Amino acid sequence: MSCTPPSDSAPSTTAPTAATVHTLPEHILEILSDSGEGAQKCGQSFGAVSAKMGNGAWTVEIIPAEIQPPPRTPEGASGVRIRIGTDEVTNWGNRTKLVIAFNEQVLLSRHRVQALADDAIILIENMWETHADANIRQAWADAFAELSTANYRFIQVPMEEECLKIVDNPRRGKNMFALGLMSWIYHRDVEKVKDQIAMQFRHKPKEVYERNVRLLEAGIAWAQTHLDFRFDIPTGDVSEDLVVMNGNTALAMGAVMSGLELCSMYPITPATSVSHYLSSIFDDMGGVVHQAEDEIAAIGVAIGASYAGKVAFTVTSGPGMALKTEFIGLAVMSETPLVIVDVQRGGPSTGLPTKVEQSDLLSTLFASPGDSPKVVLAPSTIEECFHCMITARQIAETFRAVVVVLSDANLATGQQPFSRPKLQANWHALEPNLGPVKDGHQPFGWDAETGLSQRIVPGRLGGQYTATGLAHNEDSHVSYDPYNNQRTSAMRSRKLAVLQSTLEPPRVVGPESNDLLLVGWGSTRGAIEEAAEKARAEGLGVSSTHLTFLSPLQPGLKEIFSRFQHVMTVEINYSDEADDPYINEENRRRGQLSWLLRATTLVDVDCWTRVLGQPLSPGDILQVIKKKLS
Amino acid sequence: MSSTCSLLGCETLDNRNFSLEDYGGPTPRWCPGCGDHAILTAVQRLLATEQLKPETTVFVSGIGCSSRFPHYVETYGFHGIHGRALPLATGIKLARPELDVFVVMGDGDCCSIGAGHWVHAIRYNLNLTVMLLDNNIYGLTKKQTSPTTPQGFKSNTQPRGSYLPPINPLQTTLGITNASFVAQTADWMPSHLAATLEAAHAHQGLSFVRILQRCPVFTPDIFTEAVKNPQITDVLVHPQGIEDPTSAGIYKSQITHDPSDIHEARRLAEACDRVRVGLFFRNESFPRYEVLRTVPKRTVEEKINLLNKEFDRYAI
């Protein structure tokens, strides 16, 4: 129901006779506030509780770039989308069905990007309509005129008024009241919600917990009295141990388990929270987070530590990667094992610091002077964020290589339940060999076939050598010999081919041969697979595959592609549209993976990409599939 | 450790006696007359005097003439990239505090492209012996103005003469919080150089030693007066300073300076037409980063237990 002024609002103070319960396989909700009002905390708690109850869940944060943007502005909207389902949820879905908004301006921001379903239910704070400030009243009226183009059902909620009964400053409490509303609407287990609150405030005095619980209960009571609907999203079987966390936490835990003992970093969004979490646990686990003076020093310290025998890692985002490129070259040339995590964000330059993009693939592959072969892999789920750190550390050491893990802002802040890893001692790095060096063991004793060699760390008797970024021979002596340079370049490159020989071809989801193959990498996996599945259900011949390794590419791609009429990548980076002005087959700049796949397979790989600063929606991908096959 | 070692027959290792030659690498490729030769010899003498084990000693450098240094010392080394010796050394020392780490930089390395690291490394105050080999010019890339090039000096990039007064590395260092050892010496004062390096190496914390270094090819005249005329040199002396009785007969201008006095140190470091060598400042009580960042050594099993507790917090 549209409303200017909102009409379905002003709920009566008498309780509805009974709320209608809608049982659904899944639902998408959002909570939106000004920055600092706690919508993100509230939404993440809701997502965690849902996962703990056995629902599939995926959360995506809506983050303004500023810490304290002006209140009541669309640009300042801060919040979370939560998609919950009976089965596993792998992406943020399409349109939001229920919104809790703390003001009409933050709601507008989501309305304008068509994030909301046409029939979405919107619970909105009602204090602004009758606010003392005429400008605010006018803004409210203008907003509702704009919102009236959709068929939203508005329910006005006196959040401030209700919270003031419990706290003096409702800015610090509304989110718990909202959590109460959501908990009642979605039948959340209140004890689990309270546990979540207890965990959130575990470092605060008990009164803080108790006050927040009172706010929660007030929200539940209000909802119970005034709402005529509830949603039931049945929980699935929880037959195995699950954990729920975001991707940056998973990366940090993976780093600890892999035996990485030094994280050398410089603050950058959206990567920094890896180090926040790690800083809270690492010291006790025998590790150090070193906050360096800049991005360059951050990688330099990691390389120094690794040279000295402790495999280290650095964590950054695109602009930091740009600054690190010279040092990456040194690590490649000196064959110093190194793990770099790049949590990608929108670019170029400062770009969209808090938003997702997959635009660092080609710069990661090719930045750094000269030929600097390195390993690049991309986790596609929160679970893979944990495990890929172990893989990355192992490869870095075995191959004396730089391994770049390309995560992104979507994985960084998104929460998803996954199988609790059964931690194994052999995932952990071994202590470096500090024994005397055997005669004939050279610091770069490359195996002529594989390019592999065994590094020597300082402290080993008889192993003295000087690592260098200059061209060098087996003894690490500077060498300007032309044939030496050709040969050693081959040795460094060969390692990638050797690694590739140990990899499996990617799995094709859907029929092994078909009309269209979608190819993705990184966090888009869930959206792509869901879209392809829906398309198949509608009778379309679509399969998908997802690449974990981008360098070296997994084997067998050309053969897989040959079984499909069309191959198309789906990515969150920029590409020209084929029918844009001036764009033709030759000058079209394509999605980064498609560029790479065309070069390596000589297959005419098309692409569909977007840089909207948000995850891809399965619905949008479905439309692309239909268009491609029409 | 020691008992295991003797069982393995390593006992003799600890009785090794290192001569100067034991630290000698390949013949340096520096130009004849380059001050780096004298500094290399002084450093090798220090290694022999202190009997530092080649396998636990690491030389780290950036890029430039002087940064070839690690290649010429028979220890471990890391010849890095321009301006970044200090981050590499920081990583090495953080990972392996037991290693004896020396850093060799030129004036371009330390005061220009790597200046940011210089400021912060001083503040970290890791136990490193840091040498700034300052020849007032870019040598390897053939005579470009460096931050320490005297004003008016003509180079290939500033052929009408350097526009600005040079940076003062001593004053800069002395202005940084937590600077714990700041000294200056010169390649042409061998006994003073040796005594300074010895004191720097003995210091617990980051010892910053600026070594005035002649470049016979590009800045042949910059230090001529200082070399020829000992009267323009002031030697800072003090019982807690650097002891160099050998050169006292030549360098008669001796200034008694208490190295615990930071204000006087800063004043003495001010630019003037004198060459001042000696220990400007030392304080071993300042916090050292690698000490502050010492963490318990955990076994893999302990880590798995701790990590499982973390997973419990996120368990469903």
mmCIF file with all atom_site columns, all heavy atoms in Angstrom, chain A residues 192-208:
data_model
loop_
_atom_site.group_PDB
_atom_site.id
_atom_site.type_symbol
_atom_site.label_atom_id
_atom_site.label_alt_id
_atom_site.label_comp_id
_atom_site.label_asym_id
_atom_site.label_entity_id
_atom_site.label_seq_id
_atom_site.pdbx_PDB_ins_code
_atom_site.Cartn_x
_atom_site.Cartn_y
_atom_site.Cartn_z
_atom_site.occupancy
_atom_site.B_iso_or_equiv
_atom_site.pdbx_formal_charge
_atom_site.auth_seq_id
_atom_site.auth_comp_id
_atom_site.auth_asym_id
_atom_site.auth_atom_id
_atom_site.pdbx_PDB_model_num
ATOM 1   N N   . LYS A 1 192 ? 18.754 -17.466 22.208 1.00 0.00 ? 192 LYS A N   1
ATOM 2   C CA  . LYS A 1 192 ? 19.946 -17.357 21.342 1.00 0.00 ? 192 LYS A CA  1
ATOM 3   C C   . LYS A 1 192 ? 20.258 -15.892 21.036 1.00 0.00 ? 192 LYS A C   1
ATOM 4   O O   . LYS A 1 192 ? 21.418 -15.503 20.932 1.00 0.00 ? 192 LYS A O   1
ATOM 5   C CB  . LYS A 1 192 ? 19.734 -18.145 20.044 1.00 0.00 ? 192 LYS A CB  1
ATOM 6   C CG  . LYS A 1 192 ? 19.893 -19.654 20.213 1.00 0.00 ? 192 LYS A CG  1
ATOM 7   C CD  . LYS A 1 192 ? 20.079 -20.331 18.846 1.00 0.00 ? 192 LYS A CD  1
ATOM 8   C CE  . LYS A 1 192 ? 20.635 -21.745 18.975 1.00 0.00 ? 192 LYS A CE  1
ATOM 9   N NZ  . LYS A 1 192 ? 19.769 -22.673 19.705 1.00 0.00 ? 192 LYS A NZ  1
ATOM 10  N N   . VAL A 1 193 ? 19.212 -15.103 20.893 1.00 0.00 ? 193 VAL A N   1
ATOM 11  C CA  . VAL A 1 193 ? 19.441 -13.674 20.656 1.00 0.00 ? 193 VAL A CA  1
ATOM 12  C C   . VAL A 1 193 ? 20.129 -13.059 21.870 1.00 0.00 ? 193 VAL A C   1
ATOM 13  O O   . VAL A 1 193 ? 21.079 -12.279 21.745 1.00 0.00 ? 193 VAL A O   1
ATOM 14  C CB  . VAL A 1 193 ? 18.114 -12.943 20.358 1.00 0.00 ? 193 VAL A CB  1
ATOM 15  C CG1 . VAL A 1 193 ? 18.372 -11.450 20.104 1.00 0.00 ? 193 VAL A CG1 1
ATOM 16  C CG2 . VAL A 1 193 ? 17.409 -13.549 19.150 1.00 0.00 ? 193 VAL A CG2 1
ATOM 17  N N   . LYS A 1 194 ? 19.662 -13.442 23.050 1.00 0.00 ? 194 LYS A N   1
ATOM 18  C CA  . LYS A 1 194 ? 20.273 -12.899 24.278 1.00 0.00 ? 194 LYS A CA  1
ATOM 19  C C   . LYS A 1 194 ? 21.732 -13.344 24.400 1.00 0.00 ? 194 LYS A C   1
ATOM 20  O O   . LYS A 1 194 ? 22.594 -12.569 24.825 1.00 0.00 ? 194 LYS A O   1
ATOM 21  C CB  . LYS A 1 194 ? 19.475 -13.331 25.515 1.00 0.00 ? 194 LYS A CB  1
ATOM 22  C CG  . LYS A 1 194 ? 18.132 -12.613 25.625 1.00 0.00 ? 194 LYS A CG  1
ATOM 23  C CD  . LYS A 1 194 ? 17.386 -13.081 26.870 1.00 0.00 ? 194 LYS A CD  1
ATOM 24  C CE  . LYS A 1 194 ? 16.007 -12.444 26.939 1.00 0.00 ? 194 LYS A CE  1
ATOM 25  N NZ  . LYS A 1 194 ? 15.170 -13.075 27.989 1.00 0.00 ? 194 LYS A NZ  1
ATOM 26  N N   . ASP A 1 195 ? 21.989 -14.593 24.027 1.00 0.00 ? 195 ASP A N   1
ATOM 27  C CA  . ASP A 1 195 ? 23.383 -15.066 24.048 1.00 0.00 ? 195 ASP A CA  1
ATOM 28  C C   . ASP A 1 195 ? 24.265 -14.208 23.139 1.00 0.00 ? 195 ASP A C   1
ATOM 29  O O   . ASP A 1 195 ? 25.402 -13.885 23.467 1.00 0.00 ? 195 ASP A O   1
ATOM 30  C CB  . ASP A 1 195 ? 23.467 -16.524 23.563 1.00 0.00 ? 195 ASP A CB  1
ATOM 31  C CG  . ASP A 1 195 ? 22.887 -17.492 24.583 1.00 0.00 ? 195 ASP A CG  1
ATOM 32  O OD1 . ASP A 1 195 ? 22.629 -17.051 25.724 1.00 0.00 ? 195 ASP A OD1 1
ATOM 33  O OD2 . ASP A 1 195 ? 22.676 -18.673 24.228 1.00 0.00 ? 195 ASP A OD2 1
ATOM 34  N N   . GLN A 1 196 ? 23.692 -13.881 21.992 1.00 0.00 ? 196 GLN A N   1
ATOM 35  C CA  . GLN A 1 196 ? 24.433 -13.070 21.028 1.00 0.00 ? 196 GLN A CA  1
ATOM 36  C C   . GLN A 1 196 ? 24.733 -11.686 21.615 1.00 0.00 ? 196 GLN A C   1
ATOM 37  O O   . GLN A 1 196 ? 25.840 -11.161 21.471 1.00 0.00 ? 196 GLN A O   1
ATOM 38  C CB  . GLN A 1 196 ? 23.596 -12.949 19.741 1.00 0.00 ? 196 GLN A CB  1
ATOM 39  C CG  . GLN A 1 196 ? 24.366 -12.427 18.541 1.00 0.00 ? 196 GLN A CG  1
ATOM 40  C CD  . GLN A 1 196 ? 25.416 -13.421 18.037 1.00 0.00 ? 196 GLN A CD  1
ATOM 41  O OE1 . GLN A 1 196 ? 25.258 -14.638 18.190 1.00 0.00 ? 196 GLN A OE1 1
ATOM 42  N NE2 . GLN A 1 196 ? 26.495 -12.901 17.464 1.00 0.00 ? 196 GLN A NE2 1
ATOM 43  N N   . ILE A 1 197 ? 23.734 -11.130 22.286 1.00 0.00 ? 197 ILE A N   1
ATOM 44  C CA  . ILE A 1 197 ? 23.927 -9.809  22.917 1.00 0.00 ? 197 ILE A CA  1
ATOM 45  C C   . ILE A 1 197 ? 24.996 -9.917  24.009 1.00 0.00 ? 197 ILE A C   1
ATOM 46  O O   . ILE A 1 197 ? 25.858 -9.047  24.146 1.00 0.00 ? 197 ILE A O   1
ATOM 47  C CB  . ILE A 1 197 ? 22.593 -9.288  23.499 1.00 0.00 ? 197 ILE A CB  1
ATOM 48  C CG1 . ILE A 1 197 ? 21.588 -9.055  22.365 1.00 0.00 ? 197 ILE A CG1 1
ATOM 49  C CG2 . ILE A 1 197 ? 22.802 -7.999  24.297 1.00 0.00 ? 197 ILE A CG2 1
ATOM 50  C CD1 . ILE A 1 197 ? 20.177 -8.728  22.819 1.00 0.00 ? 197 ILE A CD1 1
ATOM 51  N N   . ALA A 1 198 ? 24.919 -11.005 24.753 1.00 0.00 ? 198 ALA A N   1
ATOM 52  C CA  . ALA A 1 198 ? 25.907 -11.196 25.833 1.00 0.00 ? 198 ALA A CA  1
ATOM 53  C C   . ALA A 1 198 ? 27.318 -11.239 25.256 1.00 0.00 ? 198 ALA A C   1
ATOM 54  O O   . ALA A 1 198 ? 28.257 -10.672 25.814 1.00 0.00 ? 198 ALA A O   1
ATOM 55  C CB  . ALA A 1 198 ? 25.596 -12.480 26.595 1.00 0.00 ? 198 ALA A CB  1
ATOM 56  N N   . MET A 1 199 ? 27.465 -11.916 24.099 1.00 0.00 ? 199 MET A N   1
ATOM 57  C CA  . MET A 1 199 ? 28.790 -12.010 23.492 1.00 0.00 ? 199 MET A CA  1
ATOM 58  C C   . MET A 1 199 ? 29.247 -10.637 23.007 1.00 0.00 ? 199 MET A C   1
ATOM 59  O O   . MET A 1 199 ? 30.391 -10.236 23.204 1.00 0.00 ? 199 MET A O   1
ATOM 60  C CB  . MET A 1 199 ? 28.779 -12.999 22.332 1.00 0.00 ? 199 MET A CB  1
ATOM 61  C CG  . MET A 1 199 ? 30.169 -13.299 21.803 1.00 0.00 ? 199 MET A CG  1
ATOM 62  S SD  . MET A 1 199 ? 30.175 -14.592 20.571 1.00 0.00 ? 199 MET A SD  1
ATOM 63  C CE  . MET A 1 199 ? 30.595 -13.653 19.127 1.00 0.00 ? 199 MET A CE  1
ATOM 64  N N   . GLN A 1 200 ? 28.297 -9.916  22.427 1.00 0.00 ? 200 GLN A N   1
ATOM 65  C CA  . GLN A 1 200 ? 28.633 -8.597  21.889 1.00 0.00 ? 200 GLN A CA  1
ATOM 66  C C   . GLN A 1 200 ? 29.126 -7.654  22.992 1.00 0.00 ? 200 GLN A C   1
ATOM 67  O O   . GLN A 1 200 ? 30.022 -6.852  22.780 1.00 0.00 ? 200 GLN A O   1
ATOM 68  C CB  . GLN A 1 200 ? 27.382 -8.033  21.211 1.00 0.00 ? 200 GLN A CB  1
ATOM 69  C CG  . GLN A 1 200 ? 27.627 -6.751  20.445 1.00 0.00 ? 200 GLN A CG  1
ATOM 70  C CD  . GLN A 1 200 ? 26.328 -6.241  19.828 1.00 0.00 ? 200 GLN A CD  1
ATOM 71  O OE1 . GLN A 1 200 ? 25.439 -7.036  19.479 1.00 0.00 ? 200 GLN A OE1 1
ATOM 72  N NE2 . GLN A 1 200 ? 26.196 -4.948  19.714 1.00 0.00 ? 200 GLN A NE2 1
ATOM 73  N N   . PHE A 1 201 ? 28.509 -7.756  24.179 1.00 0.00 ? 201 PHE A N   1
ATOM 74  C CA  . PHE A 1 201 ? 28.859 -6.836  25.261 1.00 0.00 ? 201 PHE A CA  1
ATOM 75  C C   . PHE A 1 201 ? 29.681 -7.518  26.353 1.00 0.00 ? 201 PHE A C   1
ATOM 76  O O   . PHE A 1 201 ? 29.642 -7.106  27.505 1.00 0.00 ? 201 PHE A O   1
ATOM 77  C CB  . PHE A 1 201 ? 27.586 -6.210  25.850 1.00 0.00 ? 201 PHE A CB  1
ATOM 78  C CG  . PHE A 1 201 ? 26.851 -5.335  24.861 1.00 0.00 ? 201 PHE A CG  1
ATOM 79  C CD1 . PHE A 1 201 ? 25.679 -5.766  24.264 1.00 0.00 ? 201 PHE A CD1 1
ATOM 80  C CD2 . PHE A 1 201 ? 27.370 -4.094  24.509 1.00 0.00 ? 201 PHE A CD2 1
ATOM 81  C CE1 . PHE A 1 201 ? 25.015 -4.968  23.339 1.00 0.00 ? 201 PHE A CE1 1
ATOM 82  C CE2 . PHE A 1 201 ? 26.702 -3.289  23.583 1.00 0.00 ? 201 PHE A CE2 1
ATOM 83  C CZ  . PHE A 1 201 ? 25.530 -3.721  23.000 1.00 0.00 ? 201 PHE A CZ  1
ATOM 84  N N   . ARG A 1 202 ? 30.410 -8.568  25.968 1.00 0.00 ? 202 ARG A N   1
ATOM 85  C CA  . ARG A 1 202 ? 31.110 -9.351  26.999 1.00 0.00 ? 202 ARG A CA  1
ATOM 86  C C   . ARG A 1 202 ? 32.171 -8.545  27.741 1.00 0.00 ? 202 ARG A C   1
ATOM 87  O O   . ARG A 1 202 ? 32.545 -8.880  28.842 1.00 0.00 ? 202 ARG A O   1
ATOM 88  C CB  . ARG A 1 202 ? 31.700 -10.625 26.402 1.00 0.00 ? 202 ARG A CB  1
ATOM 89  C CG  . ARG A 1 202 ? 32.812 -10.410 25.392 1.00 0.00 ? 202 ARG A CG  1
ATOM 90  C CD  . ARG A 1 202 ? 33.148 -11.720 24.679 1.00 0.00 ? 202 ARG A CD  1
ATOM 91  N NE  . ARG A 1 202 ? 34.192 -11.541 23.697 1.00 0.00 ? 202 ARG A NE  1
ATOM 92  C CZ  . ARG A 1 202 ? 34.008 -10.989 22.499 1.00 0.00 ? 202 ARG A CZ  1
ATOM 93  N NH1 . ARG A 1 202 ? 32.817 -10.554 22.131 1.00 0.00 ? 202 ARG A NH1 1
ATOM 94  N NH2 . ARG A 1 202 ? 35.015 -10.862 21.652 1.00 0.00 ? 202 ARG A NH2 1
ATOM 95  N N   . HIS A 1 203 ? 32.675 -7.477  27.097 1.00 0.00 ? 203 HIS A N   1
ATOM 96  C CA  . HIS A 1 203 ? 33.698 -6.689  27.785 1.00 0.00 ? 203 HIS A CA  1
ATOM 97  C C   . HIS A 1 203 ? 33.107 -5.494  28.534 1.00 0.00 ? 203 HIS A C   1
ATOM 98  O O   . HIS A 1 203 ? 33.837 -4.683  29.094 1.00 0.00 ? 203 HIS A O   1
ATOM 99  C CB  . HIS A 1 203 ? 34.741 -6.193  26.773 1.00 0.00 ? 203 HIS A CB  1
ATOM 100 C CG  . HIS A 1 203 ? 35.439 -7.322  26.062 1.00 0.00 ? 203 HIS A CG  1
ATOM 101 N ND1 . HIS A 1 203 ? 36.051 -8.351  26.738 1.00 0.00 ? 203 HIS A ND1 1
ATOM 102 C CD2 . HIS A 1 203 ? 35.587 -7.586  24.728 1.00 0.00 ? 203 HIS A CD2 1
ATOM 103 C CE1 . HIS A 1 203 ? 36.569 -9.204  25.850 1.00 0.00 ? 203 HIS A CE1 1
ATOM 104 N NE2 . HIS A 1 203 ? 36.282 -8.768  24.639 1.00 0.00 ? 203 HIS A NE2 1
ATOM 105 N N   . LYS A 1 204 ? 31.773 -5.386  28.530 1.00 0.00 ? 204 LYS A N   1
ATOM 106 C CA  . LYS A 1 204 ? 31.115 -4.234  29.168 1.00 0.00 ? 204 LYS A CA  1
ATOM 107 C C   . LYS A 1 204 ? 30.485 -4.659  30.492 1.00 0.00 ? 204 LYS A C   1
ATOM 108 O O   . LYS A 1 204 ? 30.253 -5.852  30.724 1.00 0.00 ? 204 LYS A O   1
ATOM 109 C CB  . LYS A 1 204 ? 30.022 -3.697  28.226 1.00 0.00 ? 204 LYS A CB  1
ATOM 110 C CG  . LYS A 1 204 ? 30.547 -3.166  26.895 1.00 0.00 ? 204 LYS A CG  1
ATOM 111 C CD  . LYS A 1 204 ? 30.900 -1.678  27.008 1.00 0.00 ? 204 LYS A CD  1
ATOM 112 C CE  . LYS A 1 204 ? 31.638 -1.140  25.804 1.00 0.00 ? 204 LYS A CE  1
ATOM 113 N NZ  . LYS A 1 204 ? 30.841 -1.140  24.586 1.00 0.00 ? 204 LYS A NZ  1
ATOM 114 N N   . PRO A 1 205 ? 30.156 -3.671  31.351 1.00 0.00 ? 205 PRO A N   1
ATOM 115 C CA  . PRO A 1 205 ? 29.486 -4.030  32.611 1.00 0.00 ? 205 PRO A CA  1
ATOM 116 C C   . PRO A 1 205 ? 28.146 -4.735  32.355 1.00 0.00 ? 205 PRO A C   1
ATOM 117 O O   . PRO A 1 205 ? 27.535 -4.544  31.306 1.00 0.00 ? 205 PRO A O   1
ATOM 118 C CB  . PRO A 1 205 ? 29.252 -2.670  33.281 1.00 0.00 ? 205 PRO A CB  1
ATOM 119 C CG  . PRO A 1 205 ? 30.118 -1.704  32.573 1.00 0.00 ? 205 PRO A CG  1
ATOM 120 C CD  . PRO A 1 205 ? 30.394 -2.239  31.220 1.00 0.00 ? 205 PRO A CD  1
ATOM 121 N N   . LYS A 1 206 ? 27.717 -5.510  33.348 1.00 0.00 ? 206 LYS A N   1
ATOM 122 C CA  . LYS A 1 206 ? 26.511 -6.319  33.202 1.00 0.00 ? 206 LYS A CA  1
ATOM 123 C C   . LYS A 1 206 ? 25.277 -5.453  32.909 1.00 0.00 ? 206 LYS A C   1
ATOM 124 O O   . LYS A 1 206 ? 24.372 -5.863  32.183 1.00 0.00 ? 206 LYS A O   1
ATOM 125 C CB  . LYS A 1 206 ? 26.298 -7.128  34.491 1.00 0.00 ? 206 LYS A CB  1
ATOM 126 C CG  . LYS A 1 206 ? 25.293 -8.259  34.373 1.00 0.00 ? 206 LYS A CG  1
ATOM 127 C CD  . LYS A 1 206 ? 25.594 -9.392  35.346 1.00 0.00 ? 206 LYS A CD  1
ATOM 128 C CE  . LYS A 1 206 ? 24.697 -10.593 35.121 1.00 0.00 ? 206 LYS A CE  1
ATOM 129 N NZ  . LYS A 1 206 ? 23.370 -10.467 35.701 1.00 0.00 ? 206 LYS A NZ  1
ATOM 130 N N   . GLU A 1 207 ? 25.270 -4.225  33.471 1.00 0.00 ? 207 GLU A N   1
ATOM 131 C CA  . GLU A 1 207 ? 24.098 -3.350  33.249 1.00 0.00 ? 207 GLU A CA  1
ATOM 132 C C   . GLU A 1 207 ? 23.884 -3.106  31.752 1.00 0.00 ? 207 GLU A C   1
ATOM 133 O O   . GLU A 1 207 ? 22.747 -2.947  31.304 1.00 0.00 ? 207 GLU A O   1
ATOM 134 C CB  . GLU A 1 207 ? 24.286 -1.977  33.917 1.00 0.00 ? 207 GLU A CB  1
ATOM 135 C CG  . GLU A 1 207 ? 24.569 -1.997  35.388 1.00 0.00 ? 207 GLU A CG  1
ATOM 136 C CD  . GLU A 1 207 ? 26.054 -2.064  35.666 1.00 0.00 ? 207 GLU A CD  1
ATOM 137 O OE1 . GLU A 1 207 ? 26.736 -1.021  35.666 1.00 0.00 ? 207 GLU A OE1 1
ATOM 138 O OE2 . GLU A 1 207 ? 26.526 -3.209  35.882 1.00 0.00 ? 207 GLU A OE2 1
ATOM 139 N N   . VAL A 1 208 ? 24.975 -3.026  31.017 1.00 0.00 ? 208 VAL A N   1
ATOM 140 C CA  . VAL A 1 208 ? 24.851 -2.753  29.580 1.00 0.00 ? 208 VAL A CA  1
ATOM 141 C C   . VAL A 1 208 ? 24.086 -3.894  28.908 1.00 0.00 ? 208 VAL A C   1
ATOM 142 O O   . VAL A 1 208 ? 23.153 -3.674  28.128 1.00 0.00 ? 208 VAL A O   1
ATOM 143 C CB  . VAL A 1 208 ? 26.243 -2.569  28.928 1.00 0.00 ? 208 VAL A CB  1
ATOM 144 C CG1 . VAL A 1 208 ? 26.111 -2.350  27.427 1.00 0.00 ? 208 VAL A CG1 1
ATOM 145 C CG2 . VAL A 1 208 ? 26.985 -1.410  29.575 1.00 0.00 ? 208 VAL A CG2 1
#
